[in-house]
Amino acid sequence: MPELPEVEAARRAIEENCLGKKITKALIADDPKVIDGVSRADFEASLLGKTIVSAHRKGKNLWLRLDSPPFPSFQFGMAGAIYIKGVAVTKYKRSAVKDTDEWPSKYSKLFVELDDGLEFSFTDKRRFARVRLLKDPASVPPISELGPDALLEPMTGDELFESLSKKKIAIKTLLLDQSYISGIGNWVADEVLYQARIHPEQSAASLSKENYGNLHKSIKEVIEYAVQVDADSTQFPCEWLFHFRWGKKPGKVNGRKIDFITVGGRTTAYVPELQKLSGQQAARAGSKQANKRKGHGDGVKDDVNEAASDEEVNGSVQSKKGRKPRGQGNKSSAKRKSKESDDEDNANDSEDDDDDDNDDHHDEDQKNKTRKVTNNKQSKVEKTSKKTVQTSQNSKKKKKAK
């Protein structure tokens, strides 16, 4: 997924190769999901004959200033990319267009030819990007709603301390909030927190002054270095998590194991040995682990006992016939959620390439494991509930016989 370093690499490539050149040909895809708020014909007519004056970026958004408005704006989404024929924009999952490649790509949403023959295209395989035509892109959403750019408008140490001390949410969740700070995505956030030695789930407000200082330094260093090497991960330092982040199995960094958890709805890589929870969160986590070890294997029994207790409190057990097995409502709800999740995953993956799949596979594996555990648990509870009902009915029959 393109983040600030990838989008900045695209901006610099356009700045170095396209400024001062006139657009002689423009082709816009007939895709209203990506081409937002303007017809294909109007978009093409607005570009023809215009000269590219400058290229701008904020967060993960890029826009081109022409010699007169309106201006094309690009929100990269999950798989948006700029290709310039004959130019290696970035080595991150992509390379220069080869003579043997389809050009423009069937995934092209905007294709432009310049007066010197140079051609560039904005592509999007997964159709989560948005391409707009705006009079002043920076003054309207989504760009106007973004927080300060992590590279161009960095917070001072004091500003970061003051803002974080008021936020009682997980630090990674906050870093991913584009209205708080723009440009930081999933892999950058993981890398920043690893370098700062901060647990991704640590509450922002509970960070120590040392944590704040390390975090401020790490944001600056990770962003600047990634931009410096045009987001080419082969040039990242060997201790960076990013080298292992896209592996099919958790790897190691400097001999230490990398674990994966979900924070803010995103798969998160971290090193437990170096990134530890602190304060009350550490105490709660320790207590939770101790309880888990103490009650290991008793989870289903506890649920069954709780179910039986609930039935006793209600005064009677419903007859087996017509009684809705306990947990059935939750099961159908789980099925609905599972179906919605599967539908979303299918939509997301339908046009994806192999390089974008690893993170999605890890998320899906986690979901499948969770579903399996939930279904097994529900099945055991349901069987035990049925036994409870049968026992109660047999007891009533014996009393009547007496």
Side-chain angles (χ1 to χ4, degrees):
M1 185 183 298
E3 300 180 25
L4 187 156
E6 291 78 34
V7 182
E8 177 63 15
R11 188 201 69 79
R12 292 184 179 187
I14 290 177
E15 187 174 68
E16 292 170 8
N17 295 277
C18 304
L19 297 194
K21 299 177 182 179
K22 184 178 292 186
I23 298 172
T24 57
K25 184 178 180 180
L27 296 176
I28 304 299
D30 186 12
D31 186 352
K33 181 180 178 182
V34 176
I35 308 301
D36 187 12
V38 60
S39 72
R40 177 181 180 182
D42 287 346
F43 207 138
E44 290 175 350
S46 295
L47 297 181
L48 284 174
K50 300 288 185 66
T51 298
I52 301 175
V53 175
S54 57
H56 303 267
R57 180 196 57 78
K58 185 165 186 178
K60 306 173 192 179
N61 293 263
L62 168 73
W63 69 98
L64 305 181
R65 182 166 291 276
L66 309 178
D67 52 4
S68 65
F71 310 129
S73 172
F74 308 90
Q75 188 175 358
F76 279 54
M78 297 185 74
I82 291 285
Y83 288 90
I84 303 176
K85 195 169 186 180
V87 177
V89 175
T90 172
K91 292 183 180 179
Y92 173 78
K93 298 186 184 178
R94 304 172 182 95
S95 60
V97 179
K98 300 174 184 176
D99 291 336
T100 55
D101 292 341
E102 177 187 35
W103 183 258
S105 163
K106 63 182 178 180
Y107 301 112
S108 176
K109 304 304 173 183
L110 178 147
F111 169 81
V112 162
E113 182 178 336
L114 303 176
D115 56 6
D116 66 345
L118 189 69
E119 299 171 345
F120 73 85
S121 171
F122 178 82
T123 68
D124 179 27
K125 291 184 177 181
R126 302 185 70 170
R127 301 178 68 222
F128 285 101
R130 295 293 179 268
V131 181
R132 303 177 175 93
L133 193 64
L134 304 168
K135 289 184 178 180
D136 184 8
S139 68
V140 295
I143 298 174
S144 65
E145 296 174 343
L146 296 175
D149 185 85
L151 176 68
L152 304 176
E153 308 162 298
M155 296 185 192
T156 65
D158 290 339
E159 288 172 339
L160 186 66
F161 174 80
E162 186 176 349
S163 64
L164 289 178
S165 63
K166 302 173 184 176
K167 308 287 185 181
K168 296 182 179 180
I169 63 173
I171 183 60
K172 179 174 179 180
T173 303
L174 185 59
L175 291 178
L176 294 177
D177 182 354
Q178 299 301 297
S179 66
Y180 174 72
I181 184 170
S182 60
I184 295 180
N186 206 33
W187 80 257
V188 171
D190 284 351
E191 192 58 54
V192 163
L193 293 174
Y194 167 69
Q195 297 295 337
R197 302 299 192 257
I198 298 173
H199 193 288
E201 293 180 311
Q202 187 71 46
S203 169
S206 69
L207 294 175
S208 67
K209 282 197 171 183
E210 182 182 1
N211 288 151
Y212 288 125
N214 291 339
L215 181 62
H216 183 260
K217 178 183 177 183
S218 295
I219 291 174
K220 182 177 185 296
E221 290 182 349
V222 170
I223 291 289
E224 288 184 352
Y225 190 83
V227 167
Q228 178 186 329
V229 297
D230 288 335
D232 179 1
S233 62
T234 64
Q235 296 188 51
F236 291 170
C238 62
E239 71 272 14
W240 279 29
L241 274 173
F242 184 65
H243 281 292
F244 307 94
R245 180 72 178 81
W246 303 102
K248 292 184 178 180
K249 295 180 180 179
K252 291 185 177 181
V253 56
N254 290 343
R256 296 182 174 93
K257 182 184 176 184
I258 298 173
D259 274 355
F260 291 85
I261 56 177
T262 300
V263 182
R266 302 298 302 277
T267 300
T268 298
Y270 81 113
V271 179
E273 187 179 340
L274 299 177
Q275 296 168 264
K276 301 178 184 294
L277 288 169
S278 62
Q280 294 182 352
Q281 283 182 271
R284 284 197 296 268
S287 177
K288 189 175 180 180
Q289 284 289 82
N291 290 336
K292 188 181 290 185
R293 286 194 296 270
K294 184 178 179 181
H296 183 65
D298 296 334
V300 173
K301 291 181 182 179
D302 291 342
D303 287 340
V304 171
N305 291 337
E306 184 179 353
S309 176
D310 286 344
E311 289 171 343
E312 290 173 6
V313 170
N314 289 336
S316 64
V317 180
Q318 299 176 16
S319 65
K320 184 174 181 181
K321 183 179 180 181
R323 181 183 182 276
K324 201 171 190 178
R326 186 172 183 84
Q328 184 170 314
N330 290 337
K331 191 172 182 180
S332 63
S333 174
K335 283 183 178 179
R336 284 195 301 272
K337 290 180 180 177
S338 174
K339 185 178 186 304
E340 291 170 2
S341 177
D342 289 343
D343 290 343
E344 182 179 349
D345 289 339
N346 289 336
N348 287 355
D349 292 337
S350 61
E351 296 176 313
D352 197 13
D353 56 14
D354 291 341
D355 286 331
D356 286 328
D357 279 342
N358 291 333
D359 197 25
D360 292 338
H361 287 331
H362 183 79
D363 286 340
E364 189 61 29
D365 288 343
Q366 290 294 96
K367 290 178 185 176
N368 289 336
K369 287 179 184 177
T370 302
R371 291 174 194 147
K372 187 174 180 181
V373 171
T374 302
N375 289 337
N376 288 341
K377 190 174 179 181
Q378 289 173 339
S379 177
K380 289 181 181 179
V381 173
E382 187 176 334
K383 287 178 182 178
T384 307
S385 297
K386 286 181 179 179
K387 287 182 181 179
T388 304
V389 172
Q390 189 64 48
T391 302
S392 176
Q393 289 176 338
N394 291 340
S395 176
K396 286 182 179 180
K397 287 179 181 179
K398 287 181 181 179
K399 287 181 179 180
K400 287 182 179 180
K402 290 180 179 179

